[in-house]
Amino acid sequence: MAFRFLPLLVQCAKLRHPFPSKLSSISTSLHHLSDSFFSEELFPDRQKTISNLDEHLVLEQISELLPIAKCASQNTILKDHESKSAREPVDGFLSPEEKLRGVFLQKLNGKAAIEQALSNVGVDVNIDVLGRVVNSGNLGGEAMVAFFNWAIKQPMLPKDIGSYRVIVKALGRRKFFKFMMEVLDDMKVNGLEADLLLLFIVIDSFVRAGHVSKAIQVFSNLDDLGLRRNADALNVLLSCLCQRSHMSAASSVFNSMKGKVSFDVTTYNVVAGGWSKLGSVNEIERIMKEMEVDGFHPDCRTFSLFIEGLGRAGRIDEAVEVFNKMQEKNCPADTETYNAMIFNFVSVRDFDESMKYYKALLSNNCEPNLDTYTRIIIGFLRARKVADALQMFDEMLRQGVVPSTGMVTSFIKHLCNYGPPYAAIVIYKKVRKLGCMISMNAYKILLMRLMKFAKCGMLLNIWQEMQECGYNSDIEVYECIITGLCNIGQLENAVLVMEESLQKGFCPSRLVYSKLSNRLLASNKTEIAYKLFLKIKHARSLKSARSFWRSNGWHF
């Protein structure tokens, strides 16, 4: 019964089609098809000898008889799409480091095949690209070493100790210690000797992973790295152990190296600093006595560590006595010692005393440094004394101390944890006026806070300034902007921002999309909501395809 309307179609074709000659053949063919079908209905026994008609076959024959010419607009769109596809490579949405890491998804066999595939990617490898490849992604140790062996042969990558530091640090961070030691052996074969910074990276990798005995073994076998076992190398080992609070191992190494290595004041200060972090005043006093027995005199660094240790132990009064007796021991207080006193009083939120020592620092012709203002301002912010923090920030700028990127991020993060974002914007504008670099994390924190307080104008201004600084918007930034625009009812602008994010390959979360879609439907903007739904549907399919190709390899 599917073709009972075929005679009617024939009559319509006779009335509308302007070409009678071709129409007669079409009519004849349609009558044959209808006769064939109806004959099967009238004579069911013919079904045994005649195969069933395939509806798809009939439709194909009709489409041949009634060809539909493609419109000019369709041809233009297809040509534009084909030309765009020809211009853009298939993996054009990938970054250089993703293209290089993608080679190892193919599980190629042989060093020559891997190096040939890496060369075919067509990416110029420098020290920055090397760092991005090995520090992100999920490459294994063997793949990282294979990539580095190929990269070190490239003309733009320097064949010096700096390149080896990058790969050694990346391997150590992921606990690929076997491959890390192989790279060190290859470095020695290539005629490069390790320096103290590389030694710190190797030892700190073992200590961070809890392999303290292996870290000490590396120090015992310094000849393999081309280094001498002196006070500088010992200080590197002790600093790594003390920073990770392995004080028992640090004390054991310190005691075992007496008489074997010539100590200096820094050696004692490193161990004293480790005990100071734990507030172990008795151990600090023991170290200071050993210094005097061995013929060394405590310096300002030693006293500052002692004062901080007393503060952490809650013995502020004794810290004040030690500070006052420094002049008697021919060791006048310097900036670091004043910072220790300021830290002690800030930690107990006695800001009057901390400001007293800050003024004494200025009156004694000691220049405050970045650590001085960081401790005071962070203390004010933790106590939610925003006005005092802003006043001290202005004082810091008047003294000519330029805040670092991490310091600005820390200030903005504390200010955005409570209250409106006014104070954070004040610091942001002053820092930007100075020309200081602002991190992407700081921009995200500001955007999130402005979005929650529905400050849409400031939100868009900060977003524009972020892009002017060279930062590219990611999915978090786009979701923040879309949510902020939705909160104030600028739905059409929110749709434009979402379309921009989709064009850049970022698909917002279902929560953000549903919020915008519901707002559009509630505002009787059904057509816009439907068009956005189609774009989101297409974007999600592309996202799934990209995830699939990322996991299965996209270069071959």
Side-chain angles (χ1 to χ4, degrees):
M1 301 297 293
F3 298 98
R4 58 185 177 183
F5 297 108
L6 284 178
L8 181 60
L9 289 174
V10 174
Q11 296 295 329
C12 293
K14 288 180 180 179
L15 293 174
R16 295 183 181 181
H17 204 284
F19 302 104
S21 59
K22 192 171 184 178
L23 186 60
S24 60
S25 61
I26 296 173
S27 176
T28 305
S29 300
L30 292 175
H31 278 298
H32 283 304
L33 289 173
S34 61
D35 292 342
S36 175
F37 178 77
F38 287 115
S39 62
E40 288 178 1
E41 284 189 340
L42 295 175
F43 307 100
D45 54 341
R46 292 187 60 186
Q47 293 180 357
K48 299 180 182 179
T49 57
I50 301 176
S51 61
N52 293 329
L53 275 174
D54 188 358
E55 186 174 349
H56 293 286
L57 178 61
V58 175
L59 293 176
E60 289 179 1
Q61 294 179 3
I62 295 175
S63 63
E64 291 178 0
L65 296 172
L66 296 171
I68 301 175
K70 295 181 179 179
C71 61
S73 60
Q74 283 182 318
N75 292 333
T76 305
I77 294 173
L78 289 174
K79 288 180 181 179
D80 292 341
H81 179 71
E82 292 175 358
S83 61
K84 184 177 179 182
S85 301
R87 289 194 305 267
E88 296 181 359
V90 177
D91 57 354
F93 63 92
L94 298 173
S95 61
E97 56 269 20
E98 286 180 324
K99 294 178 182 180
L100 292 169
R101 284 196 300 268
V103 172
F104 295 94
L105 295 176
Q106 305 304 318
K107 306 297 182 182
L108 301 175
N109 294 323
K111 177 181 177 181
I114 294 175
E115 292 187 351
Q116 181 64 33
L118 289 171
S119 300
N120 292 336
V121 173
V123 174
D124 294 330
V125 180
N126 52 25
I127 193 71
D128 295 331
V129 175
L130 172 65
R132 292 198 297 269
V133 171
V134 298
N135 289 325
S136 57
N138 55 353
L139 292 180
E142 185 177 359
M144 293 170 69
V145 173
F147 170 74
F148 177 76
N149 291 335
W150 169 82
I152 202 66
K153 302 175 185 177
Q154 305 306 307
M156 296 184 64
L157 186 67
K159 302 174 180 61
D160 57 2
I161 192 67
S163 301
Y164 280 91
R165 288 196 202 108
V166 175
I167 184 64
V168 168
K169 188 174 183 179
L171 291 169
R173 186 186 296 112
R174 300 188 183 184
K175 302 179 183 180
F176 296 141
F177 299 120
K178 175 184 175 182
F179 298 102
M180 182 179 73
M181 300 309 294
E182 289 180 2
V183 170
L184 293 175
D185 293 338
D186 293 339
M187 182 186 70
K188 186 177 180 181
V189 171
N190 293 330
L192 294 175
E193 294 184 355
D195 56 1
L196 293 178
L197 181 56
L198 182 62
L199 177 64
F200 178 85
I201 293 172
V202 174
I203 293 178
D204 189 62
S205 299
F206 283 117
V207 175
R208 184 172 58 249
H211 303 317
V212 178
S213 59
K214 289 189 177 181
I216 299 174
Q217 186 178 358
V218 170
F219 174 77
S220 302
N221 300 326
L222 285 179
D223 296 336
D224 297 339
L225 299 177
L227 294 173
R228 293 183 300 173
R229 195 185 307 172
N230 52 18
D232 293 334
L234 177 62
N235 293 341
V236 170
L237 174 62
L238 292 176
S239 62
C240 291
L241 294 173
C242 294
Q243 284 180 5
R244 305 291 178 182
S245 299
H246 293 282
M247 291 311 302
S248 59
S251 298
S252 177
V253 172
F254 178 80
N255 295 327
S256 63
M257 287 294 118
K258 277 188 176 180
K260 299 179 182 179
V261 176
S262 298
F263 291 176
D264 55 11
V265 178
T266 305
T267 307
Y268 294 95
N269 288 341
V270 168
V271 180
W275 291 118
S276 177
K277 288 176 60 178
L278 301 178
S280 300
V281 179
N282 295 332
E283 294 294 335
I284 301 175
E285 292 176 342
R286 180 180 63 81
I287 295 296
M288 294 177 69
K289 290 179 181 178
E290 290 184 10
M291 287 181 67
E292 295 177 353
V293 171
D294 294 339
F296 297 98
H297 297 285
D299 57 2
C300 292
R301 172 65 177 167
T302 311
F303 281 108
S304 66
L305 294 172
F306 188 29
I307 291 172
E308 282 194 16
L310 289 169
R312 287 190 172 95
R315 297 157 63 174
I316 304 294
D317 296 336
E318 296 181 27
V320 174
E321 293 179 3
V322 171
F323 179 82
N324 293 331
K325 291 181 180 179
M326 287 181 61
Q327 192 70 30
E328 300 176 1
K329 297 183 179 181
N330 296 324
C331 185
D334 61 351
T335 302
E336 194 169 5
T337 312
Y338 279 106
N339 288 347
M341 293 301 299
I342 292 171
F343 169 76
N344 288 341
F345 287 106
V346 167
S347 62
V348 296
R349 297 195 175 185
D350 190 349
F351 296 106
D352 294 335
E353 287 295 321
S354 64
M355 294 306 297
K356 171 185 171 183
Y357 281 96
Y358 170 73
K359 294 176 182 178
L361 182 149
L362 297 177
S363 62
N364 290 333
N365 296 325
C366 294
E367 294 183 359
N369 54 19
L370 192 61
D371 190 33
T372 308
Y373 293 105
T374 301
R375 294 186 176 192
I376 296 175
I377 295 175
I378 292 296
F380 280 135
L381 293 178
R382 286 176 177 172
R384 300 197 176 187
K385 294 180 176 290
V386 178
D388 295 331
L390 292 177
Q391 185 177 359
M392 185 54 62
F393 186 79
D394 294 336
E395 174 69 16
M396 178 185 68
L397 298 182
R398 281 195 298 269
Q399 292 291 334
V401 179
V402 179
S404 63
T405 302
M407 184 178 178
V408 174
T409 304
S410 179
F411 292 166
I412 292 177
K413 183 177 180 181
H414 280 89
L415 287 171
C416 290
N417 285 335
Y418 51 84
Y422 172 75
I425 293 296
V426 169
I427 289 182
Y428 164 77
K429 289 182 177 179
K430 291 182 178 180
V431 171
R432 182 173 170 81
K433 188 176 181 180
L434 287 175
C436 299
M437 183 177 179
I438 302 173
S439 66
M440 182 67 176
N441 191 22
Y443 275 111
K444 286 184 179 181
I445 294 172
L446 274 177
L447 293 174
M448 292 290 181
R449 199 63 181 174
L450 292 170
M451 178 264 293
K452 289 182 180 179
F453 280 82
K455 302 291 185 179
C456 186
M458 299 174 68
L459 178 71
L460 297 177
N461 290 335
I462 297 295
W463 185 34
Q464 182 179 359
E465 292 173 0
M466 182 195 76
Q467 294 173 334
E468 291 175 356
C469 291
Y471 293 113
N472 294 323
S473 302
D474 57 7
I475 184 62
E476 295 179 356
V477 174
Y478 279 116
E479 288 183 352
C480 179
I481 302 297
I482 294 168
T483 305
L485 292 172
C486 282
N487 290 338
I488 63 173
Q490 295 189 14
L491 303 180
E492 295 182 356
N493 291 333
V495 171
L496 294 176
V497 175
M498 182 170 285
E499 290 177 352
E500 180 183 337
S501 68
L502 296 177
Q503 290 174 359
K504 293 185 177 181
F506 299 114
C507 189
S509 64
R510 297 182 183 275
L511 179 63
V512 175
Y513 164 69
S514 62
K515 182 176 183 179
L516 177 57
S517 179
N518 293 336
R519 293 286 182 90
L520 290 171
L521 294 175
S523 302
N524 295 326
K525 298 181 179 180
T526 310
E527 184 178 357
I528 298 177
Y530 179 69
K531 290 180 180 179
L532 183 61
F533 163 74
L534 295 178
K535 293 178 180 179
I536 286 287
K537 183 179 179 181
H538 180 64
R540 285 174 180 168
S541 64
L542 290 179
K543 182 180 178 181
S544 300
R546 288 180 179 180
S547 300
F548 174 80
W549 287 112
R550 273 194 172 96
S551 60
N552 292 277
W554 47 78
H555 294 95
F556 300 92

